[in-house]
Amino acid sequence: MRVFAAALLLAAAAPALGQHAHHQTPAEPVRAAPEATEAPAENPHAAHPTMDHGSMDHGAPDQGAMNHDAPTATEAADHNGMDHSAMGPAMPETAPPMDHSNMDHSKMDHSKMDHSAMGHGSAPADIPMAPPPAAAGSGPPRAADAIWGAAAMRASREALAHENGGMSLFWFQGDRAELRVREGHDGYLWDVQGYYGGDIDKFWFKSEGEGSFGEAMEGVEVQALWSHAIGPFADLQLGLRQDFAPRDRTYAVIGVQGLAPYNYEYDVAAFVSDKGDLTARAELELDQRITQRLILQPRGEAVLSAQDIPELGIGAGVDKIELGLRLRYEFAREFAPYLGIEQEWKLGQSADYARAAGEDASVTNFVAGIRFWF
């Protein structure tokens, strides 16, 4: 009778033991049900009053030892009541890459972005606007001599000085070489100049002359000048001028020649003759490019005198004014024929001298000539 009662108790407790079998740790074998003298309680957990869930290790399980096969229906049902939040954070899913090709960057406000935190590298530092430090010139001026010797470096030093401004150049230009068609007697004119020297000091020479065909030359002069640069675009010129017509006369010359702002070329000089006469002349011209080869050149010249010089037909004050306009075409930069017109006026006492000699005080010249240089 007692044996029959024990079997009945084991049969009643079997579902509860199967339901909690997965909570047992691997280190503890499944205990056999003790002999019970009382009927099982309605709560299935009551059959395990001594199970300590607090001592169970609910940390991250050893996935290598886990059985990843599909769970049974009983196991799936038991997991519904488990607290999965205590099992640690789940592994995040890898986000797919973003497709920037469809983004409208024109509506993004980049002004508030901190580009310094991006991997664009640091911005270059501003160039300091200050003179070089004193240490920049503290080294020896000819350090290479200590290595190679002064004799070995002399030829290189001379070549460097020659190729960087120390060489002498020759330049010659025919600014005006033209025929003049006018009322009465047609004439001619030349105006040439050139130099030989370096960037700072040059020997400068000039020559001008004009006349009418079949008559004596109206004027011929030659200048020999020492030219010294007093600025990037200005030269101070000192020297002598010799006139051969209408009379032989020698002058001391002081002048300035150069390039003014807006590409105006100027030549201003004062002359003191061996007779004590003081005169001055100012020339101004500008090249206006219509195309790369077609150039319009306005030109002006004024001659002044401090006193009357009757033998030369020059009156005190403004002696003569010339205004001209020439249009040239450069077949090459060194060769350009031109056509133009020029008006001359003698003023004041000079006009009276011209009329007394049977000449016109105002003359219009139609000109055709060549401008060249080499």
Side-chain angles (χ1 to χ4, degrees):
M1 191 67 179
R2 182 175 296 179
V3 175
F4 177 77
L8 184 60
L9 289 173
L10 287 173
L17 291 174
Q19 185 176 3
H20 292 277
H22 66 281
H23 288 289
Q24 294 179 357
T25 59
E28 296 183 1
V30 178
R31 298 178 181 178
E35 295 181 358
T37 56
E38 298 178 358
E42 295 181 359
N43 187 350
H45 291 280
H48 303 279
T50 60
M51 183 174 292
D52 185 5
H53 287 274
S55 62
M56 295 180 67
D57 184 12
H58 290 279
D62 185 4
Q63 297 182 359
M66 293 177 64
N67 183 8
H68 294 278
D69 296 335
T72 61
T74 303
E75 291 173 345
D78 293 339
H79 279 285
N80 292 333
M82 294 179 65
D83 184 5
H84 292 275
S85 63
M87 292 186 179
M91 297 295 291
E93 295 182 1
T94 303
M98 295 180 66
D99 185 6
H100 292 275
S101 62
N102 295 326
M103 296 178 66
D104 187 2
H105 291 274
S106 63
K107 297 181 179 179
M108 297 178 66
D109 185 5
H110 292 273
S111 62
K112 298 181 180 179
M113 296 179 65
D114 186 7
H115 291 273
S116 63
M118 300 182 178
H120 298 297
S122 59
D126 294 336
I127 299 176
M129 301 300 293
S138 61
R142 297 182 177 181
D145 291 355
I147 301 174
W148 305 105
M153 295 302 300
R154 185 175 298 111
S156 298
R157 189 176 299 111
E158 292 175 354
L160 181 65
H162 178 74
E163 294 173 359
N164 290 271
M167 76 284 284
S168 295
L169 300 175
F170 175 77
W171 171 79
F172 180 82
Q173 175 174 296
D175 194 26
R176 293 180 295 166
E178 62 192 31
L179 298 175
R180 295 186 155 195
V181 178
R182 57 197 177 194
E183 185 179 357
H185 299 282
D186 298 337
Y188 54 87
L189 178 142
W190 75 82
D191 179 4
V192 298
Q193 62 180 321
Y195 65 77
Y196 177 80
D199 293 335
I200 305 300
D201 296 298
K202 304 178 181 70
F203 167 70
W204 205 294
F205 56 93
K206 304 176 183 180
S207 178
E208 292 186 25
E210 63 178 315
S212 298
F213 294 109
E215 298 182 1
M217 300 184 69
E218 298 175 13
V220 178
E221 70 176 54
V222 175
Q223 297 184 43
L225 308 169
W226 168 66
S227 181
H228 179 75
I230 57 175
F233 305 102
D235 287 352
L236 175 66
Q237 297 177 339
L238 301 172
L240 296 175
R241 164 187 159 189
Q242 179 63 45
D243 284 8
F244 299 97
R247 294 177 181 269
D248 290 344
R249 191 155 292 186
T250 303
Y251 298 82
V253 182
I254 179 172
V256 179
Q257 182 173 353
L259 189 67
Y262 303 102
N263 293 326
Y264 284 92
E265 297 182 26
Y266 64 89
D267 186 357
V268 180
F271 309 96
V272 179
S273 74
D274 54 358
K275 303 295 183 179
D277 302 325
L278 176 62
T279 57
R281 181 166 59 206
E283 300 177 10
L284 186 67
E285 60 187 36
L286 174 67
D287 284 353
Q288 294 278 13
R289 289 192 176 272
I290 300 174
T291 68
Q292 287 295 318
R293 295 185 179 273
L294 190 63
I295 299 168
L296 183 66
Q297 182 195 65
R299 182 184 182 276
E301 179 178 340
V303 179
L304 300 92
S305 177
Q307 64 281 312
D308 291 335
I309 312 175
E311 65 273 21
L312 298 179
I314 297 175
V318 179
D319 169 41
K320 180 175 65 173
I321 291 179
E322 297 181 4
L323 294 178
L325 195 64
R326 291 168 175 81
L327 181 66
R328 71 176 184 265
Y329 184 84
E330 293 183 343
F331 288 99
R333 300 303 181 197
E334 302 86 355
F335 179 80
Y338 62 83
L339 297 173
I341 184 173
E342 186 171 74
Q343 182 69 38
E344 298 180 10
W345 296 276
K346 284 187 174 289
L347 305 175
Q349 187 63 37
S350 297
D352 295 337
Y353 288 144
R355 295 187 189 100
E359 300 175 358
D360 293 332
S362 176
V363 178
T364 302
N365 298 295
F366 297 94
V367 303
I370 298 174
R371 186 177 190 265
F372 62 92
W373 62 268
F374 56 85

